[in-house]
Structures are given as structure tokens and as C-alpha cells.
Amino acid sequence: MVDPLNFMDRVELDDIYTNLSIIDQSSNRKTPITYDDLLTNNANGNPLKRLLIQGEGGVGKTTLCAKIAWDWCQGRILQDLDMVILIPLRDIKNAASIGGIVKTYLAHSNTATQKKIDDYISTNLSRILIIFDGFDEFDEKLSKTSSSEVIRILGTDQYNPCKVIVTTRPWRTNEFMMDKSLAEIYTFLNVEGFNKENLSTYIRRYFRITEKDTLAESLISFMQENDVIRSNMAPFPIYCAMLCLLWNDFSEERRREMQKLRTFSQIFGEMISFLKEHYASKSCENLQNQNIVEHLKEAGRAIQEISEIAFDGLFDRNLSFPEEQFRECHDAMVTCCRVGVLTVKKDVITRGRRRDVNISSLVTSTVSFPHKLFQEYIAGVYIEYLFDNNRAKYDKVKNKLLSRPEEFRYVLYFTSASGNELGLDIIKGLINCPFDNFISYSPNDNESDKRDFCVDVAFECHAEEAARAVGEQWHEYTLDYSPEHLVSGVVFMVRYNQVVSDTI
């Protein structure tokens, strides 16, 4: 979809898909690889059998998985395989079998049974690729004693002949890396999003579809001139798509206002504001003489009402919900669907499948967020509400967040950006966190990981008080090769502190 507000406005994947920057991290020397080489050879020239693809939220992992499955369907790649199965783990319960999962994707008229599919997979493992998208969204850890078929496929010898791709955010990569047997059979790749050339390609493709080519060049020029947006947001396809949508719909004056954006939180907040404004304007068109301000408030209240469900779901690693879970805020759920921060999927269940999945209704409704980042942003709305109205409960929630900061990185980003006082409280909490709460990507260097994390969150907070709090904790900062977001954060720290940095 080019326009997330219009679900009928669909385009072919081939018309919009743009290659991503992918790095092979399995050896000491990080090696760029192309999409064409992704499933054929690794850095040593051996066929790739198991891939773990890590990347931050919105960097393009899910779209890459869709591209692989689509190209196989079109006969372009992997034609030695009989079956490519793409499984979004956010929708999967632990006990589900692969055959049962596949059966839910088939047309109701398809006579294949779950058992037949499972039997076929088990006897043809070497000719099957299973793509598990979103391991960070799956609520079970790798374990040799697990009864979960997903976990058994990912981590045991029973399914070794099967080709496997798994995607995840970085905080769950260590479960594979720290297991010696898995570290030997998986090739570890990192998706870094768009490079400069591919960024321009994507923008031109986007505006060619909307028939507004001149806007493409003005947006490319804007990104080239704004180093923070170019470095921090443009490589992420989801943020680039948001920028394209906003650029397409905003007036010239509003586009100039966009040039002040600096952080992930700011651009996401702008997107949420845009969705609410779009909802309000449409509501006023449908209802004569209505006040647009009232509809904006209505959208804000609806988001607030569902925010606790969003927050609780993240802690349970639950990203899709039965509609019944919204029974106490059903009207708010409906409004949020109209705003565009929720979607409802209805599935008609045949009588035979009703016995398989043990439900009584012929129709099930599943509610989810368009992307995990939306759920994380709205979870931040709930935390802000608690900060303003229930400090005792807020403190409990904050402690839960800070016990797993890497997992809730984006929740902390969005929450800290909600206000200076709240942001400063989050920063102080992070500073006082034990080092062991932070996942170290360098041996025996938890303090550096904690420091870098605090700099990132302070940058998203974008408040002088937060910058000073971090600067007072770490007076010196040596920066070599680091992610662009961290580089921008250090520059932000320098502005308000006497921080010594050898290289920026």
C-alpha cells in the first residue's frame, strides 16, 4: 500500500520494493551482500541454509520476507524448493504446528488437512524453506526441551535439513549467538535499511505511483540538506514512507515545518497527528457543522482508552488481540480503526476448521496495530497518563520497563519524548539501572552499552535537562564507528555539556 489510510490503494510489490543494505556479520569482517546473493552463498562461498536477519523496528525485515516469498511464487528464485512458508510470528501461539498454521492461510475450499501438510513437511524437509518473521514478537525462548514446534524447528537437529530464515530485532539475537551449536549453523545478517542511492530510488518510485514526480525531487533535496533526518530516519523504510506520505499531503508551509524534525519520536508523533487530523476532517465532511477540534479530541481520547491494552500486550509479547479484549472500550477501538492506528481482521471459519481450532463462532475478529512501532508509541501514551495521574502505578510500570530496556527501547524513546519532566525521570531511572540490565554486544562492556543507551534516549527526549543528566554521569565520551542515531545523540550531549569526544 502506498497510502496506509486507504486500504484499497494497493500497488504491486515489484513497483515499490527497493533493495536494502544487508551486511553479513558472521565473520570478523562485515561483508555487504546483495539480495541476489542472499539465499545462494555466504562470505565463504557455501550455500546458505539458515539465516538470522536482525534489524531495528521499521528497517524493512518484514518487507524483505515478503519479497523472498513473492519472488519464489513468480519463479524467480529458489525453484529447487517445493514450498516456501512465510509465518508472521506475532500471530502464532506456541502450540501451533506448521501444518496448522499453513492450513489457516489456505482457501476454505482447499481439502488439504493439517496432518497432510505436517506429514509432507516432515518427509521433504530439504526442499522446504520456512521464513519466521519477528522472533522478537514470539513469546517463547529457545530451549532444547520446548514443546513448541516453532522453537524445535529453529533450534534442534530434528529439522536440520530444513532451510530456515528468522528475522528479529537485535535484542533477541543473543539467544542464537550464545548457543554454540546454533551459532555454527546460522549465518547472521544485519539489515541496515536504505543507502543513499536506494533512498532516492524509493522516493521516486513512491511519487511516480502517486503521479507527483516533482515532489520526489523536493523531498530528496530536503533529506540531503537535513543531515539528522538523512542519517537517522531516511534509512528506515517505515520512516521514509511516513515522510513521503506527509510530504505528499502537507502544504508548502507544513513541509517547511517538517524541516524542524530531528528524532524518531518527533516524526512518529507527526504521523499520529496527521492520522488524527485526517480522521477529524473526514468526520466533519460526513457530519455537517461539526467542530474539527472536537473530532481531534475524540481521536486523542480513543487512543488513550486503548493505550493500556497496547502496553500490556507488549509485556506479554502479544501483538494481536481478540476483539473481545476491547469490549470495555469498543467505541474507542472503532474510532482507532478509523483513525488508522488499529486494524481488524475478520476470518470466516468453516465448520470443519471450527473443530480444528476449538472455537464456536463462525467468524473471528482479530485486532492489531499496523506495525509494532504503533503499539509501542501508544504504550507510551499510557505511561504518560500514569505519570500525570497515578505515580504509584507509574513507578511500578517504569521499573518493569527498566528491567528489560533493550526490549522496550522504542517505548522508552517515545515515552521520554512526551515531556521534559517525564523524560528526565526516565533518564534518571536508566542511569541508576544495574549494568546487567543492558544487553552487551561487546564482551565485558556493559557500562558502554548502558551509556550509549542513555545517550540515545536523551536524544529522543530532546530536552536540555536530559542531556545534562547524561553529561554529568559520563564526562568523557570517545566515539569511533557508531550508529548514526548515537552520533546525533553525542552531538546533542556536547551542546549542553563539557563532554570530551575524540571523534565525532
Side-chain angles (χ1 to χ4, degrees), residues 21 60 62 69 123 127-128 149 159 190 198 255 257 273 297 350 375 402-405 416 420 441 456 486:
S21 175
T62 296
T123 55
R127 299 181 62 82
I128 290 171
E149 186 162 350
Y159 289 89
N190 188 58
N198 289 340
R255 291 187 201 119
E257 286 295 311
S273 295
K297 291 179 179 178
T350 63
Q375 185 170 351
L402 298 182
S403 69
R404 292 146 63 182
S416 67
N420 290 359
Y441 300 103
D456 278 335
L486 181 59

Side-chain angles (χ1 to χ4, degrees), residues 171-406:
W171 67 270
R172 288 207 77 177
T173 302
N174 272 12
E175 290 184 42
F176 291 82
M177 288 185 167
M178 299 304 289
D179 185 310
K180 185 177 179 180
S181 62
L182 295 183
E184 290 177 351
I185 64 174
Y186 276 88
T187 297
F188 295 88
L189 306 178
N190 188 58
V191 178
E192 298 186 341
F194 294 144
N195 58 28
K196 182 178 179 181
E197 178 182 349
N198 289 340
L199 169 65
S200 298
T201 299
Y202 175 85
I203 294 172
R204 290 188 176 107
R205 286 178 176 173
Y206 181 99
F207 285 103
R208 187 176 303 126
I209 291 169
T210 62
E211 299 180 348
K212 295 181 180 179
D213 290 355
T214 56
L215 287 180
E217 300 310 315
S218 65
L219 179 56
I220 291 169
S221 176
F222 160 63
M223 289 187 175
Q224 290 173 344
E225 294 168 1
N226 188 317
D227 59 333
V228 177
I229 289 220
R230 183 184 66 248
S231 300
N232 291 333
M233 298 177 205
F236 288 73
I238 191 169
Y239 289 105
C240 188
M242 286 181 180
L243 288 167
C244 287
L245 178 62
L246 297 176
W247 202 260
N248 184 61
D249 281 61
F250 280 176
S251 65
E252 184 65 33
E253 181 180 358
R254 193 80 177 268
R255 291 187 201 119
R256 285 195 294 270
E257 286 295 311
M258 281 181 61
Q259 298 181 31
K260 300 176 183 177
L261 301 176
R262 291 292 181 269
T263 68
F264 292 141
S265 303
Q266 289 171 354
I267 188 65
F268 218 96
E270 189 74 17
M271 184 66 189
I272 297 296
S273 295
F274 171 74
L275 292 174
K276 290 192 290 188
E277 290 168 12
H278 188 274
Y279 164 78
S281 62
K282 287 294 184 182
S283 297
C284 287
E285 287 178 11
N286 297 332
L287 299 171
Q288 297 297 322
N289 300 321
Q290 295 292 309
N291 187 339
I292 192 169
V293 175
E294 288 304 314
H295 289 291
L296 286 172
K297 291 179 179 178
E298 178 189 10
R301 286 193 297 268
I303 289 173
Q304 175 67 69
E305 286 186 52
I306 69 162
S307 64
E308 185 174 3
I309 295 175
F311 175 84
D312 290 340
L314 287 174
F315 270 90
D316 296 335
R317 294 179 188 162
N318 184 18
L319 304 172
S320 58
F321 311 85
E323 187 173 352
E324 175 66 14
Q325 194 161 342
F326 291 84
R327 63 184 179 278
E328 295 183 1
C329 56
H330 186 268
D331 290 346
M333 182 205 77
V334 172
T335 297
C336 286
C337 289
R338 291 171 178 165
V339 171
V341 298
L342 283 180
T343 60
V344 176
K345 176 185 176 183
K346 293 189 179 294
D347 187 20
V348 179
I349 308 297
T350 63
R351 294 190 180 276
R353 288 179 62 206
R354 285 168 61 191
R355 291 192 296 271
D356 291 340
V357 296
N358 192 29
I359 62 173
S360 57
S361 174
L362 289 175
V363 178
T364 61
S365 296
T366 303
V367 182
S368 60
F369 295 85
H371 191 279
K372 187 178 180 180
L373 285 169
F374 280 83
Q375 185 170 351
E376 290 167 319
Y377 183 92
I378 292 173
V381 172
Y382 176 65
I383 298 167
E384 182 183 7
Y385 172 81
L386 292 181
F387 184 78
D388 292 336
N389 298 279
N390 189 336
R391 285 296 177 94
K393 191 169 184 180
Y394 162 78
D395 287 335
K396 292 179 181 179
V397 163
K398 181 181 70 172
N399 289 336
K400 291 172 70 175
L401 284 172
L402 298 182
S403 69
R404 292 146 63 182
E406 291 281 0

Side-chain angles (χ1 to χ4, degrees), residues 437-501:
N437 286 18
F438 297 85
I439 298 172
S440 179
Y441 300 103
S442 304
N444 304 315
D445 200 17
N446 294 80
E447 182 172 6
S448 294
D449 290 295
K450 174 179 175 178
R451 177 200 62 195
D452 293 350
F453 197 101
C454 289
V455 169
D456 278 335
V457 175
F459 178 62
E460 288 295 318
C461 179
H462 228 67
E464 179 178 345
E465 295 86 349
R468 289 194 181 282
V470 174
E472 289 170 2
Q473 181 69 22
W474 290 282
H475 300 292
E476 295 188 356
Y477 203 116
T478 300
L479 190 65
D480 44 25
Y481 175 77
S482 298
E484 294 290 351
H485 189 271
L486 181 59
V487 174
S488 298
V490 173
V491 173
F492 184 69
M493 296 300 107
V494 171
R495 186 185 306 170
Y496 297 111
N497 296 279
Q498 295 300 316
V499 179
V500 177
S501 179

